[in-house]
Amino acid sequence: MADPYKTLGVSRDASAADIRKAYRGLAKKNHPDLHPGDKGAEQRFKDIASAYGIVGDDTKRALFDSGKIDGTGAEQHQQPPRESYRQHAEAQPGFKYEQHWSGDGADDDLFAELFGRSTRAKSRGSDVNYTFAVEFLEAINGAKKRVVMADGRTLDITIPAGLKDGQTLRLRGQGQPGASGAEPGDVLVEIQTKPHPLFRREGNDIHSILPITLGEALGGAKVAVETVSGTVNLAVPRGSNTGSKLRLRGKGVPSKSGTGDHFVELRVVLPDLPDDELIRSVVDWETTHPYEPRKGMGAAS
């Protein structure tokens, strides 16, 4: 028969307080309700409960120490009714594990810590994690979406304007139901934002590239440009060059601290097949107006 002192991990001269402390720690760690489906936890809990039923009771502990009963509580060759796991498992309807050994109720607070102060083992329902992909502009401007869960349920979710890639939305009370009337868990929806062919987000600012013609760059122009909130006319200054950046204030990502800006980087694009007239005019101009675009890019010493 197992030695109840060894089962609880205490010495034979341990105080009642030390035995109680050891029991509480082991019972909390191995309680079957905290390990659903783990048969080993059920057996460990039974052994721990039985051991404490012996050495946690002053009278039984004295009988065990004097050799009058064994680790099961049996006296000599008699086999009295033993506290079994079934006693713990079927103590009361709805409460799977309850102590039955005699005592003064001093361990009620252990089960209160585990399951709340009631006769039923209450456990909050599990959270459900879900990943959902949205379009870039939906994350920027907000949207209403419908999520189909693994169990077939449909949930309507609101994508708030300005949501960042990887942020998680919490749908309270939509997770797994709780045990014995406890509150249900939540659904946690991680939002993944799809890339956009034109826009790139940095914080609350939007960045894009705007191709312009040689004439628009040299002479200046009003050019239509797409933003996350629609099309606007952008004034391209005369003499603009590739790499120049223009700011559209308030055309970025909306947020509680204010809407960001949209930065447009210009890119001068030559025609696919420049004709002889264009080539000759540019080459002739350069012969009388030389300039060095690669200044400062000398070979490293």
Side-chain angles (χ1 to χ4, degrees), residues 155-166:
L155 298 178
D156 293 323
I157 63 175
T158 298
I159 307 297
L163 192 71
K164 296 180 181 179
D165 181 53

Side-chain angles (χ1 to χ4, degrees), residues 109-127:
D109 59 339
L110 169 63
F111 292 93
E113 290 177 19
L114 287 170
F115 308 109
R117 291 194 174 276
S118 68
T119 59
R120 298 178 64 84
K122 291 187 176 182
S123 179
R124 179 182 178 276
S126 300
D127 292 338

Side-chain angles (χ1 to χ4, degrees), residues 27 30-38 41-43 45-46 85 97:
N30 295 281
H31 200 288
D33 272 359
L34 303 181
H35 303 275
D38 184 352
E42 295 179 0
Q43 183 62 46
F45 183 80
K46 180 187 77 169
Y85 176 75
Y97 313 109

